[in-house]
């Protein structure tokens, strides 16, 4: 019994149900149990005939993930380390934001790979090497886990649930395109989890073929590019895939993405002391993206074990931001969340690896 239900797309669920000699509406019921009623076991699907439930239980598992560690930060961020079926681990974070109507909004930060092949020198995941891609079910189950978590009334309040999904956890989403796409389709589908694609953002180190596929597939998700440097010389070091997909090709690919989807691209720029935080670099950044319909997220970097890559001081960050603003660049300063629990990309997991 090695099939996991969340690894199946809608068509495959219909096929499975048909192979068990059940009518098509049972497939819709089953999907609703998994993605809307957030069932934890096949047993609880009491409006499905018992014989069908038994046959189903012989053929499929419901969940791919087992939580093995939980950390809660003072700012409400929760991070879970999950064990996968082969014993490998990934982490997922839930971030809580207050909104003006008094309710909370929740963003879940999802992993797409075990480790990462890109190897950025400031990134805890990048330093762990690459192990394997996650399956669609392993991606989806991270979302379902936190959707259930918020149903617990001691945590989420009435009417609160997941509002946004960001693919900014461990791994490079566009290096696992097929599984990512299947997961997004199910999370977006009305028969599935039903979250608007507008509430989803993919963060990428800049894999151009993946950006092009995303644009062609018209998934309508937000695109965030981990830029971190305004010129090829510096970016080759910080985001090594830049050697393959340099800025001269990446920036036009972002323009094309906007043209195809109408979704404004955002650029992530984490500031590292004495590395990429000078005023001259702010000016080059402004020149690079001048005239684009885009947004820059300046990030106060997370501390890493890499001595040469430490966060910039606050006044340097503010001066960098001011320079961008003076040059008409749309930008915000994003505070790093959950620092007291190592909520940065791959940091929790690296504490558990020996
Ligand atoms: N691989 C994808 C998505 C996962 S990383 C990507 O690189 O975009 C998510 C974000 O965390 C990226 O913007 C990445 O550059 C950033 N990040 C990784 N380590 C960081 C650190 N030490 N400080 C600040 N941001 C970091
Ligand atoms: Fe991979 Fe993103 Fe980390 Fe770079 S920053 S190593 S692309 S997860």
């Amino acid at each position: 019994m090695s099939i996991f239900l969340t690894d199946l797309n809608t068509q495959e669920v219909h096929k499975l149900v048909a192979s068990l000699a059940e009518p098509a509406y049972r497939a819709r019921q089953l999907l609703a149990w998994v993605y809307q009623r957030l069932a934890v076991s096949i047993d609880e699907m009491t409006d499905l005939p018992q014989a069908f439930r038994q046959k189903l239980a012989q053929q499929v598992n419901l969940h791919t993930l087992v939580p093995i560690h939980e950390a809660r930060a003072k700012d409400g961020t929760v991070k879970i380390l999950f064990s996968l079926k082969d014993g490998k681990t990934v982490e997922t974070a839930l971030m809580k934001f207050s909104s003006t109507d008094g309710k909370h909004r929740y963003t879940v930060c999802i992993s797409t790979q075990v480790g990462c092949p890109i190897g950025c020198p400031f990134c805890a995941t990048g330093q762990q090497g690459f192990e394997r891609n996650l399956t669609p079910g392993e991606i989806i189950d991270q979302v379902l886990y936190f959707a259930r978590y918020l149903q617990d009334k001691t945590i989420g309040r009435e009417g609160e649930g997941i509002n946004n999904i960001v693919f900014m956890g461990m791994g490079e989403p566009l290096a696992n395109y097929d599984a990512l796409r299947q997961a997004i389709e199910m999370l977006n589908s009305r028969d599935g989890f039903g979250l608007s694609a507008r509430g989803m953002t993919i963060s990428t180190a800049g894999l151009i073929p993946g950006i092009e596929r995303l644009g062609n597939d018209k998934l309508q998700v937000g695109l965030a590019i981990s830029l971190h440097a305004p010129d090829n010389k510096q970016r080759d070091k910080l985001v090594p895939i830049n050697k393959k997909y340099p800025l001269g090709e990446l920036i036009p690919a972002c323009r094309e993405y906007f043209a195809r989807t109408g979704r404004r691209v955002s650029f992530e720029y984490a500031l590292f002391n004495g590395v990429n935080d000078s005023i001259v670099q702010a000016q080059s950044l402004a020149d690079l993206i001048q005239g684009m319909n885009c947004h820059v997220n300046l990030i106060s970097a997370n501390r890493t074990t890499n001595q040469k890559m430490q966060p910039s001081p606050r006044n340097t960050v503010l001066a960098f931001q001011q320079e961008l603003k003076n040059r008409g660049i749309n930008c915000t300063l994003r505070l790093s969340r959950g620092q007291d629990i190592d909520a940065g990309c791959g940091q929790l997991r690296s504490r558990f690896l020996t």
Side-chain angles (χ1 to χ4, degrees):
M1 195 179 60
S2 57
I3 300 177
F4 291 88
L5 208 57
T6 45
D7 276 329
L8 305 182
N9 64 26
T10 310
Q11 232 180 354
E12 289 164 338
V13 171
H14 276 269
K15 245 196 204 156
L16 170 74
V17 168
S19 76
L20 298 175
E22 292 287 337
Y25 73 90
R26 294 277 181 228
R28 288 192 293 276
Q29 272 179 303
L30 180 57
L31 285 164
W33 270 110
V34 176
Y35 291 101
Q36 281 146 35
R37 302 170 85 170
L38 304 173
V40 285
S41 73
I42 292 174
D43 279 350
E44 75 187 83
M45 303 177 182
T46 45
D47 57 0
L48 301 181
Q50 201 176 3
F52 175 44
R53 275 186 275 150
Q54 272 169 0
K55 280 187 285 177
L56 208 52
Q58 284 163 7
Q59 301 235 354
V60 292
N61 280 306
L62 215 46
H63 296 295
T64 58
L65 306 174
V66 179
I68 54 172
H69 182 80
E70 174 176 325
R72 293 191 192 195
K74 292 191 206 92
D75 65 11
T77 303
V78 181
K79 186 139 182 170
I80 307 279
L81 188 69
F82 289 109
S83 172
L84 310 173
K85 56 183 177 279
D86 55 4
K88 295 186 188 298
T89 54
V90 289
E91 31 178 89
T92 311
L94 180 74
M95 293 168 287
K96 179 178 173 180
F97 300 91
S98 301
S99 90
T100 43
D101 60 5
K103 281 193 184 162
H104 296 120
R105 296 181 62 79
Y106 288 93
T107 296
V108 62
C109 179
I110 300 296
S111 292
T112 53
Q113 297 183 312
V114 184
C116 180
I118 311 291
C120 305
F122 53 85
C123 170
T125 305
Q127 297 312 299
Q128 291 162 13
F130 174 66
E131 293 185 44
R132 71 166 172 86
N133 282 329
L134 294 190
T135 67
E138 288 166 338
I139 297 173
I140 289 169
D141 278 337
Q142 297 171 63
V143 178
L144 299 184
Y145 179 88
F146 276 111
R148 273 192 298 274
Y149 187 92
L150 290 175
Q151 273 193 333
D152 176 344
K153 287 297 157 247
T154 59
I155 301 170
R157 297 192 208 143
E158 194 63 38
E160 290 182 347
I162 292 175
N163 306 99
N164 295 288
I165 299 175
V166 293
F167 296 92
M168 293 188 184
M170 298 170 64
E172 167 50 49
L174 298 183
N176 185 14
Y177 191 87
D178 292 335
L180 176 78
R181 180 186 162 161
Q182 185 180 321
I184 288 174
E185 282 173 346
M186 192 54 113
L187 290 167
N188 180 226
S189 161
R190 275 168 196 241
D191 293 332
F193 189 64
L195 187 88
S196 158
R198 304 215 143 248
M200 301 185 201
T201 300
I202 292 174
S203 177
T204 177
L207 274 67
I208 294 177
I211 296 172
E212 289 170 350
R213 282 184 76 184
L214 264 188
N216 290 337
D217 288 347
K218 297 217 162 45
L219 291 183
Q220 298 295 334
V221 293
L223 182 64
I225 306 288
S226 295
L227 200 62
H228 306 317
D231 59 84
N232 285 324
K233 191 159 173 263
Q234 183 67 277
R235 196 165 190 270
D236 281 353
K237 289 187 209 142
L238 293 185
V239 187
I241 196 79
N242 190 68
K243 291 181 203 134
K244 191 162 177 193
Y245 304 117
L247 290 170
E249 292 165 32
L250 179 59
I251 300 296
C254 294
R255 288 185 198 274
E256 181 64 23
Y257 186 78
F258 175 71
R260 279 180 181 264
T261 62
R263 296 222 50 183
R264 187 178 70 168
V265 174
S266 59
F267 293 106
E268 309 284 303
Y269 196 107
L271 289 152
F272 294 98
N273 194 15
V275 176
N276 61 354
D277 60 355
S278 73
I279 293 298
V280 173
Q281 281 160 321
Q283 290 163 355
S284 321
L285 173 59
D287 291 344
L288 182 71
I289 58 177
Q290 203 58 255
M292 252 179 110
N293 198 334
C294 67
H295 184 90
V296 175
N297 273 321
L298 289 178
I299 305 160
S300 59
N302 285 313
R303 286 196 177 282
T304 63
T305 48
N306 186 336
Q307 287 314 311
K308 292 188 191 132
M309 307 285 303
Q310 292 305 323
S312 304
R314 182 89 189 152
N315 52 359
T316 309
V317 173
L318 294 176
F320 195 95
Q321 182 184 24
Q322 194 55 50
E323 187 62 33
L324 290 182
K325 282 193 171 159
N326 292 347
R327 288 170 183 260
I329 302 293
N330 213 326
C331 78
T332 43
L333 189 56
R334 203 172 73 197
L335 294 175
S336 176
R337 297 188 55 100
Q339 286 202 328
D340 50 328
I341 57 163
D342 292 337
C345 180
Q347 290 184 339
L348 179 66
R349 180 172 182 262
S350 58
R351 267 208 284 147
F352 283 79
L353 294 173
T354 45

